[in-house]
Amino acid sequence: MKPLIDLRNVSKTYWLGETEVKAVSGISLPIYRQEYLSILGASGSGKSTLMYLIGLLEIPSRGKISFNGRDVSKLADAKLSHLRNGSIGFVFQQFNLINKFTVLENVILPTRYSKTRLKFNPKNKARQLLKDFGILDRQDFFPNKISGGQQQRVAIARALIMNPAVLLADEPTGNLDSKTGPEILRLIESLRKKFKTTIIMVTHEKEVANRADKKIYIKDGRLVKKYL
Amino acid sequence: MKPDTLSDIFTTAIASFKRNKIRTVLTSLGITIGVMSVVLLIGLGVGLKNYLSDQFESLGSNLVIVFPGNVFSDEGGLGGGFGPGFAGGATFDEKDYLNLKKIPQADYVVPQFFRSLPVTANGESQLGYVEGVTADAFKILNLSQAYGQAFEATDVNRKTKVAVLGFAIAEKLFSSPEKAVGKTIITGNQRLKVIGVNAKKGDREMDNIVLLPYTTTFGRLNPNKTFFTIFFGVNDEANIASVINQAEKILAKRYDEDSFSVTEQTEILSTVNQVFGIVNAILVAIGSISLLVGGIGIMNIMYATVTERTKEVGIRRAIGATRQDILSQFLSESVVLSVLGGLIGLALASLIILVIRQFFPAAINLLSVVIAFSVSTAIGVFFGVFPAKRAANLPPIEAIRYE
């Protein structure tokens, strides 16, 4: 089976003034369709950079990233954004909803950046997702008027509206209480079957990471243990 | 972004202004004032120019005018200045008139003495444009009488104390113009009998005119017996150059060449146009300074907005917005902001022009509207493009982490 996303010896370096910071160095990692992968690491380990590389928000300094067999490491911004729009869904620790938009407007926002003809009605689909997640009655609320768990559900709905192949979740429970956190985790995990989505979970919590089929541990920008 | 989302962009822009009403209004204010002043200045300039052009055109064609001073230099520019008795200007008298009258190609020659004076009758007093002329003036000025009649050449010869009034001044002095005929008016200590009232011209100066035989002014009104200008009606357009030439020769015998000018009406018109072109350009340049300041205001606010919305930019980038999408979003906001200001400025200027129109010839024309629109759009683009570029070039990851 061919990997959906294939990282080959990928490095990412930043320049902080005169000093070169190696956020990710020499990581090779194949990610397969409908896989549930977790990336475990302490803060500053480079796990977020790795996630952004996988999520096509960053291009590697060295090495190669393939998406669906196509080399995407040197794609121009427009094509990369396009691919991100149609194939990647992000869920963040801070929810990252746009506060001046209502819940419904937040969910349909990605459809506005689609360069291809949509095969669905954005509003209908958004409402269906909100209904599935039990928050349809919040569709006209602004994000700061609903609870954290509800906000994260909205963020997940937004991540799913374009039917992405991959859902990238960056510490999705980090801002939630002990009751809501597991609910959100279960919701994310359920998407794999329901939407045939590949799930990549970035976390610093072992218990969260352990729920995945496959986990990698990253330290100082390098893979420490593979496929535990 | 798909073209059908263009309206989306503007809806978003307007929605974001609604959340920042005061800021939006204050930011647009610079453009509002700028566009308002430019439109207003153009309106006043164009209005004044049209007014003067109309004045000269109403005089009729094939007209040659003798002015004191070197008003119109050879290059067609403005040499000296207007008005009687200015430095170095000749003062014409009856002798000049009689000499000029000998030019064969001139159908009629009209000397003009002019003063603006209070005119009283019935205890009422009104400012009138008192002009001492010959009977031919009625032909040159295309004046017909609504009531009574014009004076004739014999009145000029006999120094008859008669006057023909403009419609408006007759109306103001005698409540209804037909009542003026046969009554007496007093101006500059001179009693005059009204023998006619001109038909309405719709022109302030013409409708407040008081015409009398120039010979009658030779006394209390015009003790020095001088004229400000002398008009010629030339029988054929082809003879205009020859008449100018002859008149110049005749006048050069008595006056210094630089102390008088002989010009045809079209030349005056082109000079008026030229002068107002320059005046207008200067006024617009001054108005443009406020547009520049307004544009800088927009730029300033747009930079602040970009910083404020850094995280939003990061989020949008993460969900698939291209750099171009972000650029369009911020650019459209600054354009909408600027055009909004421009339209308000245009509306205010139109209102002001409507009001001052009653006192001053001001006009709002298509040019003003086009300028208001295109300039404010251009300002929105020009001053919005740098902040928008900054937003578009924000690294997505740093943007998304921005708090």
Side-chain angles (χ1 to χ4, degrees):
Chain A
M1 194 166 62
K2 269 190 174 177
L4 174 64
I5 303 172
D6 199 8
L7 278 73
R8 293 276 176 87
N9 201 20
V10 167
S11 298
K12 182 70 189 178
T13 48
Y14 294 106
W15 285 93
L16 274 179
E18 298 276 297
T19 46
E20 191 182 20
V21 180
K22 277 199 167 184
V24 165
S25 51
I27 289 184
S28 291
L29 175 68
I31 300 162
Y32 296 92
R33 275 186 194 279
Q34 286 189 64
E35 207 173 33
Y36 181 9
L37 170 77
S38 65
I39 301 172
L40 183 66
S43 80
S45 61
K47 64 182 193 306
S48 289
T49 304
L50 181 61
M51 185 193 87
Y52 290 130
L53 283 164
I54 297 168
L56 310 178
L57 259 176
E58 278 280 22
I59 51 168
S61 311
R62 276 184 296 279
K64 190 172 136 182
I65 300 177
S66 305
F67 190 92
N68 235 344
R70 176 184 179 201
D71 183 4
V72 294
S73 10
K74 287 178 181 68
L75 275 190
D77 172 70
K79 285 187 173 165
L80 211 58
S81 302
H82 199 167
L83 202 57
R84 203 159 59 226
N85 178 252
S87 310
I88 313 277
F90 282 99
V91 175
F92 302 92
Q93 180 178 357
Q94 310 287 344
F95 320 132
N96 285 348
L97 298 173
I98 296 178
N99 280 325
K100 61 187 180 187
F101 291 156
T102 64
V103 162
L104 187 69
E105 286 166 345
N106 265 288
V107 177
I108 63 173
L109 195 60
T111 65
R112 286 182 34 191
Y113 293 117
S114 171
K115 302 297 189 277
T116 47
R117 218 184 147 80
L118 296 172
K119 291 182 180 119
F120 56 88
N121 177 302
K123 278 191 180 169
N124 291 347
K125 181 154 186 200
R127 290 200 180 101
Q128 185 58 49
L129 284 166
L130 292 173
K131 195 178 167 196
D132 289 350
F133 300 164
I135 47 169
L136 185 60
D137 58 338
R138 295 288 181 268
Q139 62 170 324
D140 294 322
F141 281 56
F142 287 98
N144 51 6
K145 299 281 184 246
I146 59 177
S147 73
Q150 288 171 335
Q151 287 192 53
Q152 197 58 300
R153 284 181 168 87
V154 176
I156 295 167
R158 180 180 66 186
L160 289 174
I161 194 150
M162 296 296 292
N163 292 322
V166 183
L167 184 90
L168 281 159
D170 187 8
E171 308 271 10
T173 59
N175 267 12
L176 299 173
D177 58 48
S178 55
K179 182 175 169 287
T180 323
E183 277 175 27
I184 292 295
L185 279 181
R186 279 194 295 277
L187 174 64
I188 291 173
E189 286 158 1
S190 73
L191 305 173
R192 198 150 61 118
K193 272 192 185 143
K194 199 169 173 190
F195 298 98
K196 299 187 166 46
T197 320
T198 307
I199 309 286
I200 299 171
M201 181 79 69
V202 178
T203 183
H204 68 279
E205 291 174 88
K206 253 189 183 155
E207 312 84 76
V208 174
N210 283 338
R211 298 166 71 114
D213 309 337
K214 203 159 99 180
K215 70 175 170 178
I216 57 171
Y217 183 64
I218 182 165
K219 193 181 175 187
D220 298 330
R222 293 174 186 280
L223 282 190
V224 179
K225 294 175 210 165
K226 268 190 187 179
Y227 320 135
L228 280 176
Chain B
M1 192 162 287
K2 289 178 290 178
D4 63 340
T5 54
L6 200 66
S7 69
D8 263 19
I9 294 183
F10 287 101
T11 320
T12 312
I14 287 164
S16 97
F17 299 149
K18 277 186 184 161
R19 273 178 285 272
N20 276 316
K21 284 187 194 101
I22 294 176
R23 184 201 267 190
T24 305
V25 169
L26 289 179
T27 309
S28 310
L29 199 62
I31 301 295
T32 300
I33 293 171
V35 167
M36 189 180 80
S37 45
V38 169
V39 170
L40 216 53
L41 291 172
I42 292 176
L44 294 179
V46 169
L48 195 59
K49 190 185 106 180
N50 291 346
Y51 172 76
L52 287 178
S53 303
D54 287 351
Q55 291 278 297
F56 282 107
E57 269 163 14
S58 74
L59 294 177
S61 52
N62 296 347
L63 207 65
V64 169
I65 305 166
V66 177
F67 275 108
N70 188 13
V71 176
F72 301 97
S73 67
D74 293 340
E75 295 82 35
L78 198 67
F82 286 107
F86 52 78
T91 328
F92 308 114
D93 57 23
E94 199 170 13
K95 195 171 171 189
D96 297 314
Y97 161 59
L98 295 171
N99 286 339
L100 291 170
K101 223 177 151 182
K102 290 172 190 159
I103 298 174
Q105 294 91 338
D107 270 359
Y108 33 81
V109 180
V110 177
Q112 187 207 35
F113 160 77
F114 173 83
R115 269 177 89 180
S116 109
L117 284 171
V119 180
T120 34
N122 277 344
E124 289 280 329
S125 187
Q126 285 291 334
L127 191 72
Y129 300 96
V130 178
E131 294 192 15
V133 289
T134 58
D136 286 334
F138 296 97
K139 289 177 202 153
I140 286 190
L141 300 174
N142 292 323
L143 293 172
S144 58
Q145 282 66 49
Y147 309 103
Q149 61 198 49
F151 56 79
E152 286 161 13
T154 48
D155 292 309
V156 179
N157 294 337
R158 290 177 193 159
K159 301 187 183 180
T160 324
K161 293 183 173 54
V162 292
V164 176
L165 301 183
F167 194 89
I169 194 165
E171 200 170 29
K172 281 183 253 177
L173 289 172
F174 298 99
S175 71
S176 97
E178 66 259 42
K179 284 185 191 160
V181 180
K183 302 270 167 56
T184 303
I185 56 166
I186 300 168
T187 182
N189 283 331
Q190 175 73 61
R191 295 174 72 87
L192 298 161
K193 189 184 166 196
V194 179
I195 57 164
V197 175
N198 293 327
K200 200 168 186 168
K201 291 284 269 189
D203 172 316
R204 219 164 75 122
E205 191 179 328
M206 281 295 180
D207 285 340
N208 285 294
I209 205 164
V210 177
L211 291 158
L212 58 151
Y214 79 85
T215 46
T216 312
T217 67
F218 288 178
R220 287 172 179 159
L221 282 168
N222 185 8
N224 300 328
K225 302 185 180 181
T226 59
F227 302 121
F228 172 43
T229 50
I230 298 170
F231 293 90
F232 294 87
V234 181
N235 56 9
D236 190 337
E237 202 181 334
N239 292 329
I240 288 178
S242 148
V243 169
I244 291 176
N245 202 340
Q246 294 177 64
E248 279 174 346
K249 274 184 187 158
I250 291 169
L251 292 170
K253 285 178 190 162
R254 295 187 68 199
Y255 306 104
D256 185 68
E257 267 179 29
D258 286 334
S259 65
F260 65 90
S261 343
V262 184
T263 36
E264 59 176 311
Q265 184 200 352
T266 47
E267 202 179 322
I268 298 173
L269 269 181
S270 78
T271 307
V272 166
N273 284 337
Q274 199 184 358
V275 169
F276 274 92
I278 296 166
V279 170
N280 236 337
I282 293 168
L283 291 179
V284 168
I286 294 167
S288 305
I289 294 171
S290 53
L291 280 175
L292 183 76
V293 175
I296 293 168
I298 286 191
M299 190 154 154
N300 188 22
I301 284 298
M302 287 310 293
Y303 269 124
T305 305
V306 169
T307 307
E308 225 170 57
R309 285 157 64 184
T310 298
K311 196 175 180 73
E312 180 190 321
V313 171
I315 296 168
R316 286 176 186 267
R317 295 279 279 140
I319 63 175
T322 61
R323 280 197 194 112
Q324 187 60 47
D325 290 332
I326 301 295
L327 187 84
S328 319
Q329 185 194 335
F330 283 94
L331 205 53
S332 66
E333 279 186 30
S334 73
V335 170
V336 170
L337 201 61
S338 177
V339 169
L340 200 77
L343 289 182
I344 296 171
L346 182 65
L348 288 179
S350 309
L351 274 179
I352 295 173
I353 283 177
L354 275 182
V355 172
I356 60 174
R357 245 189 140 134
Q358 297 162 30
F359 319 102
F360 190 86
I364 191 141
N365 53 12
L366 190 67
L367 180 77
S368 316
V369 178
V370 170
I371 284 180
F373 244 116
S374 51
V375 166
S376 52
T377 308
I379 285 175
V381 171
F382 183 79
F383 290 98
V385 80
F386 299 102
K389 269 198 168 161
R390 175 187 274 189
N393 290 330
L394 284 170
I397 295 171
E398 282 172 38
I400 215 161
R401 285 176 180 158
Y402 185 88
E403 290 302 332

